[in-house]
């Protein structure tokens, strides 16, 4: 039995197998519409979501399985012993997807579960987003060894994307002027550097040199500068304004992309006028939506692998 958290726990062949299976299912959904018939998925949300909820719910249904959703606030996880509650849930379902605020909760589920647990995003990793990103890049380039430039905060999305790009032999360039609160230490990035597939771009890089990287990569990737749970919080206003003022020079805009055909990715939700300009968002919206839709397809490949234990379909 495997869980889905860090890609350090997966081989390159496993990841490629999940992505190729996802592509196969996407191209012939009818043929795989009963592959998880009789299987049940439990999803639990401590954090809000559009894409994670819809992609897992609809994806499980499209595979012939059933889906049961619960909000953290409505569950007994708020009042009971986590370990015993996890063990109870596992008596009823075949897989758990949890979207939690802290990695400690994710680890608690994985430690106690007797069925596969998928990290649907916590403060450390966002593996299903990275799978969707790589599926989209593979569809559009025909390669797994892609080059990606990420501009934004070091966060959960960045961590998982860096892992998967490096694991599959590509190159991850990170221009990350600050870090959001995460449960990883500096050794995580040191180990990525040792692979030879991870490069941290200096924050004082000249615009001319940055444009050279933009022209060389397959994709420029950005994410919100302010965590979604704080974006509209009035108590966070001062810190939000400080981050925005610091990050505006790093916005993905037409000037940065001028003269290139480089794709632009964003994991959504988008805040146009901040991490990405309105015109660039509009110009690349179809690609961004392809990326978002692929959450569902990538997760179907992952669900089939974790529940059945095989990629041979």
């Amino acid at each position: 039995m495997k869980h889905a958290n860090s890609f350090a726990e997966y081989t390159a062949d496993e990841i490629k197998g999940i992505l190729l299976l996802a592509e196969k299912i996407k191209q012939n959904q009818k043929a795989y519409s009963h592959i998880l018939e009789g299987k049940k998925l439990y999803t639990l949300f401590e954090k809000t979501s559009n894409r994670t909820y819809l992609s897992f719910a609809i994806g499980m249904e499209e595979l012939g399985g059933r889906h049961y959703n619960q909000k953290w606030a409505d569950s007994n996880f708020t009042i009971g012993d986590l370990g015993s509650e996890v063990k109870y849930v596992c008596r009823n379902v075949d897989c758990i997807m949890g979207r939690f605020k802290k990695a400690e909760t994710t680890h608690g589920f994985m430690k106690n579960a007797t069925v596969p647990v998928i990290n649907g995003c916590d403060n450390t990793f966002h593996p299903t987003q990275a799978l969707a990103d790589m599926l989209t890049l593979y569809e559009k380039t025909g390669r797994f060894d892609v080059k990606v430039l990420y501009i934004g905060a070091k966060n959960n999305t960045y961590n998982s994307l860096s892992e998967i790009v490096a694991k599959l032999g590509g190159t991850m360039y990170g221009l990350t002027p600050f870090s959001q609160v995460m449960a990883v230490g500096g050794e995580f990035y040191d180990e990525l550097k040792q692979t030879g597939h991870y490069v941290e771009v200096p924050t004082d890089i000249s615009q001319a040199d940055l444009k050279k990287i933009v022209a060389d990569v397959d994709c420029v990737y950005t994410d919100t500068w302010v965590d979604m749970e704080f974006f509209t919080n009035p108590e966070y206003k001062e810190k939000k304004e400080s981050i925005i003022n610091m990050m505006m020079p790093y916005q993905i805009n037409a000037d940065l992309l001028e003269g290139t055909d480089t794709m632009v990715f964003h994991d959504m939700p988008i805040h146009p006028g901040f991490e990405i300009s309105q015109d660039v968002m509009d110009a690349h919206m179809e690609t961004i939506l392809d990326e978002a839709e692929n959450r569902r397809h990538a997760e179907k490949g992952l669900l089939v692998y974790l529940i059945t234990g095989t990629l041979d379909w």
Side-chain angles (χ1 to χ4, degrees):
M1 183 186 76
K2 295 199 73 156
H3 301 304
N5 187 33
S6 167
F7 290 114
E9 301 154 7
Y10 286 73
T11 67
D13 285 342
E14 276 181 297
I15 297 170
K16 289 177 183 177
I18 290 167
L19 294 169
L20 292 171
L21 176 59
E23 182 188 45
K24 190 186 300 183
I25 295 172
K26 180 179 178 179
Q27 292 175 348
N28 191 359
Q29 295 189 50
K30 186 176 181 180
Y32 295 91
S33 61
H34 300 290
I35 195 170
L36 292 185
E37 190 168 9
K39 302 298 184 180
K40 298 179 286 293
L41 171 68
Y42 173 71
T43 60
L44 181 62
F45 286 83
E46 187 178 15
K47 297 175 66 172
T48 61
S49 173
N50 284 351
R51 276 150 295 282
T52 302
Y53 171 73
L54 283 175
S55 59
F56 272 103
I58 297 172
M60 191 66 179
E61 291 176 3
E62 288 179 341
L63 293 169
R66 301 189 67 177
H67 158 262
Y68 303 88
N69 184 62
Q70 190 165 35
K71 291 182 180 179
W72 179 267
D74 297 333
S75 76
N76 282 346
F77 289 106
T78 60
I79 59 174
D81 169 67
L82 187 141
S84 58
E85 290 295 323
V86 171
K87 289 180 172 65
Y88 162 71
V89 171
C90 292
R91 292 284 186 101
N92 296 275
V93 299
D94 301 283
C95 187
I96 296 171
M97 188 289 296
R99 186 174 172 91
F100 304 126
K101 292 181 179 180
K102 295 182 178 181
E104 290 83 356
T105 308
T106 306
H107 295 157
F109 268 72
M110 293 179 177
K111 177 182 177 181
N112 290 282
T114 55
V115 302
V117 176
I118 299 171
N119 177 358
C121 183
D122 61 20
N123 62 327
T124 308
F125 297 115
H126 198 348
T128 60
Q129 179 64 52
L131 285 169
D133 296 333
M134 188 55 68
L135 178 60
T136 310
L137 284 162
Y138 179 72
E139 287 177 336
K140 295 184 181 298
T141 69
R143 295 180 287 107
F144 287 118
D145 58 341
V146 292
K147 295 180 180 180
V148 177
L149 167 62
Y150 176 101
I151 303 177
K154 279 181 175 172
N155 60 15
N156 43 29
T157 295
Y158 176 75
N159 290 343
S160 289
L161 185 62
S162 297
E163 277 193 315
I164 200 169
V165 170
K167 179 79 78 168
L168 296 185
T171 304
M172 180 73 174
Y173 297 92
L175 177 50
T176 54
F178 79 108
S179 297
Q180 290 176 341
V181 177
M182 300 173 299
V184 298
E187 67 277 1
F188 173 82
Y189 305 107
D190 291 339
E191 289 175 6
L192 282 174
K193 289 175 187 175
Q194 290 170 15
T195 68
H197 296 279
Y198 173 80
V199 179
E200 292 197 349
V201 179
T203 56
D204 61 353
I205 187 173
S206 69
Q207 191 76 349
D209 286 341
L210 182 58
K211 284 185 175 184
K212 290 179 183 177
I213 298 176
V214 171
D216 182 58
V217 298
D218 297 291
C219 165
V220 176
Y221 197 116
T222 192
D223 189 9
T224 181
W225 296 334
V226 180
D227 193 284
M228 62 179 67
E229 61 190 284
F230 300 120
F231 200 85
T232 58
N233 185 343
E235 296 179 4
Y236 198 77
K237 180 181 178 182
E238 187 174 335
K239 186 172 183 180
K240 173 184 171 183
E241 290 177 352
S242 174
I243 291 172
I244 288 171
N245 290 334
M246 175 183 64
M247 291 298 295
M248 282 306 294
Y250 303 99
Q251 182 188 71
I252 309 297
N253 54 39
D255 179 59
L256 183 66
L257 297 166
E258 184 180 11
T260 76
D261 58 359
T262 303
M263 293 181 287
V264 174
F265 278 30
H266 194 304
D267 61 339
M268 304 180 80
I270 305 170
H271 302 109
F274 295 100
E275 69 271 8
I276 187 170
S277 63
Q278 182 75 53
D279 56 340
V280 169
M281 184 191 78
D282 293 342
H284 293 266
M285 196 67 223
E286 285 304 309
T287 296
I288 293 170
L289 289 174
D290 288 342
E291 176 193 7
E293 180 190 335
N294 273 340
R295 286 288 301 279
R296 186 170 97 250
H297 303 300
E299 287 160 7
K300 286 196 282 189
L302 179 64
L303 284 166
V304 170
Y305 180 51
L306 292 182
I307 292 175
T308 68
T310 182
L311 292 166
D312 188 19
W313 294 96

